[in-house]
Amino acid sequence: MEIFPALLSVITDPILLFAIVLAAAVGMIVGATPGLTASAAIAMLLPITFYMSPLFALAFLYVIGKSGRYGGSIAAILFNTPGTAASAATQIDGYPLARAGKAGKAMKVATISSVIGDLMGDVLLVVGVGFIAAIALKLGPPETFAIYFAAFVVIGSVIGKSIVKGLASALLGILVAMVGLDPISSEERYTFGSFDLSNGIGLVPLMIGVFVLGEVFAQVEERRKATGETKENESSADGNDLTWEEYKPCLPHAVRGGFIGAGIGVLPGLGSAIAAFISYGEGKRRAKNPEQWGKGALEGVAAPEAANNAVSGPSMAPLLTLGIPGSTIGAILLGVFLIHGIQVGPTLFLTDKELVYKLFACGMLGIIAYGLIGYFGATQVAQLILKIPTNVLYPLIFMTAFVAAYSARGSMFDVTVMTCAGFIGWLMRKYDFNIAAFVISFVLAKGAEETFRQSLLMSDAGALIFVERPIALAFLILGAGAIAFRIRGIMKERKLAQGGLGDA
Amino acid sequence: MRAYAEGLVLAIVSLAAIWGAWQVPAASPGDTWAGIVPFAASVALLGLSCLLLVGASRQTGDVATASGDNNATPQIIALFIIALIYQQSFRWFGYLLPTAIVAPIVLYMFGMRSWIGLAVSVVICPLVFHLIFFVLLGVFPPYGEVFDLLSWLQG
């Protein structure tokens, strides 16, 4: 019930309301611009939040993340270029609808479904997060480490093309996080006698490097690939209006997608792209008109959009209760909490409960804000994006990355870290390593190490403590099971591919 | 070939990480070794690099060429070198002068061919970034050890 006073408090704060609306608009534009991601925008804005109050900073970035997820659908439907990985599923039916002159209709279905999914996710978060926090408070270091371990393995193995490269990315993230002084014994690790390195690698420059500068490097490559050919969409008078009769068959798909997205959102690392594709597949399987899916079915837009956005709220549950970010946006938000001296974890609900619920309230109002802007202004947003000259945009982003990295701590070393992280981020992208696993593991590493060593001290250096405690063992098995499940999936895909080639 | 290169690079990184972890002094009695997590992570990374190398040796032909290779790599490396020089020059010349020089270069690299636009960027870019970050947000600007344009302008 804490959410109602929190909502009232946020609604009565005009400056916060303005920030939410602004964040909704910014997120939508960023998400809809191909090549720009909400993660990049949040990373770039992170240093600015040093100068804001914790709630203002968190709400601003959280709403950008939410709105950015939705914004991806605008580019997917109108330009056949998904603004985010998650909106690739929306593109399957969204773009044929736009080509048939029903772009406005498709956009409205995407908006309504995104709002339904996102609100469902947030309501489930508000209802469930207290219970998860109460359970998390009872967990000891061995159980917490086992959860961290499962998160590393799931994040490393489930996302991306290769399990080995995914796990390697996670390990690289852990190793980078180890640079600096050991928090327990104050021994230097990987510092090579450098004073700057003894302070460790900062989260903010690393994020800006990987997500912002790395993206600029990637765009140089993309610009070479782009052919510059764009097809004009058809336009018809009735293509922009959506009637209740038209949306009615979409509603069950949106609600189902909301539950799928919320369920997947709680699991760290799986992310909205997986939720969107599962929801699309499930929707098509249950559809009355499966033959129409892929050719321009409105239901084919509703199902993935609801799931994609429903991930947002529940993905905050492991972040807030255990300190485990479920996504790259979550990892950056964790940085904001730390910057403002707020310890994330089960005790957060004892120390800063009011802040947490106000953040949820801001998220809900953000959904309504992007819903309204999207329903009435998505086409205008698309026209605005078409007018942005990319040959000016990316150089500006390039230069912003440097000044933003410097602003975080006024440290030139951070700018060097950001520059190197940008190049490494581009290399990782180019060679199919997993950026999300790298960044999330970097964020998780310190907490995981602390709980691991506390567990060893509890058991007089015996690693059996992780096997003797049932909850810890269950999470270790979950991690191993995730790898086994993924390997099985890959083997299946290979067999199918070989069968296909054999048939040919 | 590419898979071999990836495996080899990872193996070198992991060996360096193992060596680095080994340099961490031993734990005092009753404490845990500060190098335990870096050591375990780097050994695991070495294992994964071996898997990559084994996978590479099983590939029958040179199947995996760099996906989407379109000769953009030299341009990206050039941009990275500019980035390195740009960040280093903050230390020597402060923020304004390096930004005034780098802005038109990067704009040109991204396809801006209007000479007026490039000339305007020399003034506008440092000015706007300076106003936003160093005036409005109150961040203390980096001071150029060799020559600082901001100090010179401020007299």
Side-chain angles (χ1 to χ4, degrees):
Chain A
M1 290 300 114
E2 288 90 347
I3 191 69
F4 296 110
L7 268 169
L8 195 67
S9 160
V10 175
I11 288 170
T12 50
D13 186 340
I15 299 171
L16 195 54
L17 271 181
F18 173 73
I20 290 168
V21 175
L22 181 69
V26 169
M28 196 187 297
I29 293 168
V30 166
T33 308
L36 269 187
T37 59
S39 305
I42 294 175
M44 215 156 37
L45 292 168
L46 196 52
I48 296 173
T49 60
F50 278 55
Y51 308 94
M52 298 175 179
S53 72
L55 177 65
F56 200 89
L58 284 163
F60 192 65
L61 300 183
Y62 182 47
V63 174
I64 288 182
K66 276 181 172 294
S67 178
R69 271 196 176 94
Y70 157 70
S73 66
I74 298 176
I77 292 169
L78 297 180
F79 315 137
N80 200 25
T81 314
T84 57
S87 52
T90 309
Q91 188 185 351
I92 302 171
D93 277 278
Y95 187 62
L97 279 166
R99 296 284 301 141
K102 294 176 183 171
K105 225 182 266 292
M107 283 308 313
K108 281 177 179 159
V109 169
T111 309
I112 297 170
S113 308
S114 296
V115 169
I116 290 174
D118 218 343
L119 278 175
M120 279 176 68
D122 270 19
V123 169
L124 291 171
L125 169 73
V126 169
V127 172
V129 77
F131 294 110
I132 301 174
I135 295 166
L137 267 174
K138 289 173 186 157
L139 301 176
E143 287 81 13
T144 314
F145 171 73
I147 294 170
Y148 276 120
F149 175 81
F152 283 129
V153 173
V154 171
I155 289 161
S157 62
V158 176
I159 338 168
K161 292 176 186 168
S162 154
I163 300 178
V164 176
K165 285 184 183 176
L167 291 173
S169 309
L171 288 168
L172 285 170
I174 294 171
L175 285 172
V176 174
M178 293 296 118
V179 174
L181 294 180
D182 169 39
I184 298 172
S185 66
S186 297
E187 294 288 358
E188 289 192 6
R189 298 185 298 196
Y190 299 130
T191 60
F192 310 106
S194 158
F195 172 74
D196 286 321
L197 281 176
S198 66
N199 287 327
I201 303 291
L203 175 70
V204 177
L206 188 90
M207 294 279 187
I208 296 175
V210 168
F211 291 117
V212 183
L213 195 62
E215 191 58 52
V216 174
F217 288 139
Q219 279 306 314
V220 175
E221 205 160 34
E222 287 298 317
R223 286 166 64 84
R224 288 256 176 160
K225 277 188 214 164
T227 56
E229 187 191 328
T230 44
K231 289 176 186 168
E232 259 322 293
N233 291 333
E234 297 283 324
S235 63
S236 63
D238 64 335
N240 287 326
D241 298 321
L242 181 74
T243 60
W244 167 240
E245 289 306 314
E246 283 172 316
Y247 191 74
K248 209 172 156 185
C250 300
L251 193 60
H253 292 282
V255 173
R256 193 185 310 110
F259 280 115
I260 290 173
I264 288 176
V266 183
L267 305 170
L270 293 189
S272 39
I274 292 174
F277 278 103
I278 290 178
S279 176
Y280 184 86
E282 191 56 24
K284 190 175 177 181
R285 199 174 66 81
R286 288 168 181 260
K288 288 174 187 163
N289 56 342
E291 71 292 340
Q292 195 57 36
W293 285 54
K295 294 173 189 163
L298 286 172
E299 298 94 318
V301 173
E305 267 309 298
N308 162 14
N309 288 279
V311 168
S312 168
S315 73
M316 293 292 282
L319 170 71
L320 298 173
T321 56
L322 298 161
I324 296 176
S327 62
T328 48
I329 292 173
I332 304 171
L333 287 177
L334 179 61
V336 182
F337 275 106
L338 296 176
I339 285 165
H340 288 279
I342 301 164
Q343 193 60 45
V344 177
T347 51
L348 180 69
F349 286 81
L350 301 175
T351 56
D352 289 285
K353 196 175 189 178
E354 199 183 327
L355 171 83
V356 173
Y357 281 96
K358 276 185 181 171
L359 180 62
F360 294 162
C362 292
M364 288 177 166
L365 292 170
I367 298 168
I368 294 165
Y370 81 64
L372 288 172
I373 299 171
Y375 194 87
F376 296 106
T379 322
Q380 283 81 352
V381 170
Q383 281 165 356
L384 176 76
I385 288 154
L386 281 174
K387 282 180 189 159
I388 297 173
T390 51
N391 56 351
V392 175
L393 180 70
Y394 291 109
L396 287 180
I397 293 172
F398 176 86
M399 281 178 286
T400 309
F402 289 85
V403 70
Y406 174 79
S407 302
R409 291 193 290 193
S411 157
M412 280 311 303
F413 178 70
D414 280 355
V415 187
T416 310
V417 167
M418 187 280 298
T419 311
C420 296
F423 192 67
I424 292 166
W426 168 72
L427 279 176
M428 287 182 78
R429 273 191 188 94
K430 186 173 171 68
Y431 292 99
D432 299 326
F433 280 80
N434 189 334
I435 296 274
F438 173 74
V439 170
I440 296 173
S441 300
F442 173 82
V443 173
L444 291 181
K446 290 266 166 70
E449 185 192 18
E450 199 182 317
T451 50
F452 177 66
R453 287 168 68 185
Q454 278 172 352
S455 308
L456 289 184
L457 285 175
M458 278 169 69
S459 67
D460 287 332
L464 274 177
I465 191 167
F466 300 110
V467 184
E468 286 162 355
R469 313 259 290 225
I471 297 174
L473 182 65
F475 277 101
L476 293 181
I477 292 170
L478 179 77
I483 297 183
F485 187 71
R486 184 72 210 279
I487 291 173
R488 194 169 150 261
I490 290 174
M491 301 284 260
K492 245 185 183 177
E493 276 172 28
R494 275 193 192 160
K495 266 188 188 170
L496 277 173
Q498 280 169 356
L501 285 174
D503 294 343
Chain B
M1 190 62 202
R2 176 184 157 178
Y4 269 120
E6 286 170 357
L8 271 176
V9 169
L10 264 191
I12 292 165
V13 170
S14 55
L15 286 171
I18 289 172
W19 175 80
W22 207 245
Q23 304 304 308
V24 179
S28 48
D31 209 346
T32 51
W33 180 40
I36 189 165
V37 173
F39 185 76
S42 41
V43 168
L45 191 63
L46 184 65
L48 290 175
S49 61
C50 291
L51 278 178
L52 272 180
L53 286 169
V54 169
S57 67
R58 282 186 187 166
Q59 278 179 5
T60 46
D62 194 3
V63 185
T65 49
S67 60
D69 242 352
N70 44 25
N71 292 328
T73 309
Q75 206 183 343
I76 292 168
I77 290 171
L79 193 60
F80 175 55
I81 292 168
I82 289 169
L84 282 175
I85 297 169
Y86 179 45
Q87 59 91 23
Q88 182 56 40
S89 58
F90 284 4
R91 292 186 170 102
W92 297 328
F93 306 108
Y95 181 74
L96 292 182
L97 190 61
T99 306
I101 295 167
V102 162
I105 296 173
V106 179
L107 279 163
Y108 189 84
M109 284 182 82
F110 272 85
M112 167 75 99
R113 293 292 180 266
S114 155
W115 291 107
I116 297 167
L118 293 174
V120 167
S121 73
V122 172
V123 180
I124 291 290
C125 287
L127 183 70
V128 169
F129 283 116
H130 178 82
L131 286 176
I132 294 173
F133 285 90
F134 303 128
V135 177
L136 284 177
L137 288 178
V139 178
F140 196 77
Y143 178 74
E145 289 163 10
V146 178
F147 170 71
D148 194 277
L149 186 61
L150 184 65
S151 303
W152 185 77
L153 288 172
Q154 288 172 338

